[in-house]
Amino acid sequence: MENGVLGFNQTTLLDTCLVVAVAVVSYLLLRAAFGLLSRRLAKFASHHQNPWYGFVSEIIGNTSRFLLMVFSVQIGLKLVELSPRWESAFAHGWFLALALQIALWLDAAVRLWTVSYINGAQRNPVTSVLVTYMVRGTIWSVVLLAILSNLGVNITAFVASLGVGGIAVALAVQTILSDLFASLSIGIDKPFERGDFVVFGDVAGSIEHIGMKTTRIRSLSGEQIVCSNAELLKQILHNYKRMAERRIVFGLGLSYKTPVEKVREMPAVIERIIRATPDTRFDRAHFLAFEQTALRFEVVYIVLSADYNRYMDIQQHINLEIMQAMVERGIQFAFPTQNLVLSEPLASKDEAPPRRQENALRSSPTLHQGGRRD
């Protein structure tokens, strides 16, 4: 074994010393190069206020020292003659070390993106973490399959068996998976976020937490409502947090005793009242219809605020001003009434018996003397 790597003759000893020396020097140079590059990028990022350079600096900082040592040893072994068996083994070692290091860099990039994404704005952390786990799992799965394929393992049957097992697991936990993907859909599509006030069905409240399976809502009455993410996405949901302005439609009814001239004045009176109210934009006011008990008016205006309490204050002010204007003009609101009109007057109690007696005499037979009847 004069040329064997495990021999202990003079040639082997010299080769071993050469490999060790080259490995140590290579390791120091590689570590210094990566450290210098990382520091330069971090300094450049701080001076130019560019987060991308800092991002790359953090990724380079996640270089594994162990894998650097493996690379260094591989460089040293290139300088000596090895048996074909060891040459093949170290050839696989190059790919193994490189694949693991690339996976570490990609894993660090995904984790840094997740932290910056969550801290950059009001995000859904559950969705971000779920996406992170999925991406990281995909990265390491691909690297593992690539390493197995490089080592000569037939991964086709392995992947097929994983597919069958995955289908079985998916069927067993399909309800949980539907909620997980619903949570992912909420995070990506963003129909609502934490703090939004939503209404669906008979539920109205603010979003407190969006989890991997359920969403928690704090209702107006104070209790917490927990709803499945999959069921929540099936609902028609009203998100009032994103409402910039509110369109208001209300009506009022005037009495039928109101003169035509005053009925004609009312739209202009209502328009002046609304235009004089702050945070509003007048749309229209019309005499809409003749109803059974009232002359119906319809009024439409815009509240330039999404605050519900502000809307109620404005509506109260408009209602009071309309009441004041109607009092000044002597106009009355309509209220439900019912008039009973008879074609003939009813007979009094005193007249009823004679009238009934007269009718009875007219309809009875005539009695003559002798007891004979006509």
Side-chain angles (χ1 to χ4, degrees):
M1 298 178 62
E2 184 177 355
N3 294 328
V5 73
L6 296 179
F8 292 95
N9 54 27
Q10 185 178 2
T11 304
T12 302
L13 183 60
L14 290 176
D15 289 344
T16 303
C17 292
L18 179 62
V19 169
V20 171
V22 172
V24 170
V25 173
S26 299
Y27 174 76
L28 294 176
L29 290 176
L30 287 174
R31 185 175 175 184
F34 279 106
L36 179 62
L37 181 61
S38 178
R39 290 192 297 270
R40 288 292 181 87
L41 288 173
K43 185 177 180 180
F44 191 82
S46 61
H47 287 172
H48 294 79
Q49 300 296 325
N50 192 331
W52 288 104
Y53 292 102
F55 192 75
V56 177
S57 174
E58 291 287 338
I59 294 175
I60 295 176
N62 282 272
T63 303
S64 172
R65 295 183 181 181
F66 173 77
L67 293 178
L68 283 181
M69 179 59 71
V70 173
F71 278 114
S72 302
V73 173
Q74 295 273 9
I75 294 173
L77 290 173
K78 282 291 184 180
L79 301 178
V80 297
E81 185 179 355
L82 300 173
S83 63
R85 177 183 174 186
W86 286 103
E87 286 281 356
S88 176
F90 285 118
H92 291 303
W94 278 105
F95 182 83
L96 176 63
L98 182 61
L100 289 176
Q101 186 55 65
I102 292 176
L104 288 174
W105 282 335
L106 293 176
D107 186 83
V110 172
R111 286 187 285 107
L112 291 172
W113 171 80
T114 303
V115 173
S116 62
Y117 181 81
I118 295 176
N119 296 335
Q122 187 179 5
R123 311 288 187 180
N124 181 8
V126 176
T127 304
S128 304
V129 172
L130 183 62
V131 173
T132 302
Y133 284 153
M134 293 176 61
V135 175
R136 293 175 66 186
T138 303
I139 291 172
W140 286 104
S141 298
V142 171
V143 169
L144 177 61
L145 292 176
I147 292 174
L148 292 176
S149 178
N150 183 263
L151 294 176
V153 178
N154 185 7
I155 63 172
T156 303
F158 181 70
V159 172
S161 62
L162 288 179
V164 174
I167 294 174
V169 172
L171 291 175
V173 295
Q174 57 181 339
T175 303
I176 298 176
L177 288 178
S178 64
D179 288 326
L180 290 178
F181 282 107
S183 176
L184 182 62
S185 176
I186 292 172
I188 295 175
D189 193 42
K190 295 182 180 62
F192 53 83
E193 296 178 344
R194 286 180 299 173
D196 289 3
F197 185 85
V198 297
V199 175
F200 62 94
D202 57 350
V203 177
S206 299
I207 302 294
E208 279 193 340
H209 176 72
I210 303 173
M212 299 182 68
K213 180 173 175 54
T214 61
T215 295
R216 301 167 194 170
I217 303 171
R218 182 66 61 181
S219 70
L220 291 176
S221 54
E223 74 273 13
Q224 186 182 74
I225 300 173
V226 181
C227 182
S228 169
N229 289 330
E231 293 296 327
L232 186 59
L233 289 181
K234 296 178 183 178
Q235 305 287 334
I236 297 178
L237 188 140
H238 303 266
N239 192 337
Y240 287 92
K241 178 71 175 294
R242 301 177 184 178
M243 180 175 61
E245 54 186 26
R246 188 186 299 265
R247 184 176 183 268
I248 306 301
V249 180
F250 72 97
L252 67 151
L254 304 186
S255 172
Y256 269 96
K257 297 179 181 180
T258 306
V260 177
E261 293 78 10
K262 294 184 178 180
V263 172
R264 188 176 289 112
E265 292 177 2
M266 282 306 298
V269 172
I270 297 173
E271 180 179 357
R272 286 195 299 269
I273 292 173
I274 294 177
R275 291 189 184 278
T277 305
D279 295 333
T280 61
R281 184 174 71 248
F282 177 77
D283 189 1
R284 62 181 178 84
H286 291 95
F287 174 29
L288 179 64
F290 296 94
E291 294 188 350
Q292 185 176 2
T293 60
L295 304 174
R296 178 60 55 185
F297 283 79
E298 185 178 73
V299 183
V300 181
Y301 71 96
I302 310 298
V303 178
L304 305 179
S305 173
D307 187 3
Y308 186 80
N309 291 335
R310 177 58 182 156
Y311 150 63
M312 292 304 298
D313 293 339
I314 290 173
Q315 186 63 56
Q316 176 179 262
H317 172 76
I318 293 174
N319 291 341
L320 293 174
E321 290 296 321
I322 291 176
M323 289 184 65
Q324 181 65 32
M326 293 179 64
V327 169
E328 293 174 356
R329 289 164 176 77
I331 303 174
Q332 295 182 352
F333 283 106
F335 54 90
T337 58
Q338 186 174 13
N339 296 328
L340 183 61
V341 180
L342 301 176
S343 58
E344 294 182 2
L346 292 175
S348 62
K349 294 182 179 180
D350 296 335
E351 297 176 350
R355 188 180 297 267
R356 288 196 298 268
Q357 183 177 7
E358 180 181 355
N359 292 335
L361 291 175
R362 290 178 179 177
S363 60
S364 62
T366 304
L367 182 62
H368 296 274
Q369 291 182 354
R372 184 174 59 87
R373 296 178 182 269
D374 292 337

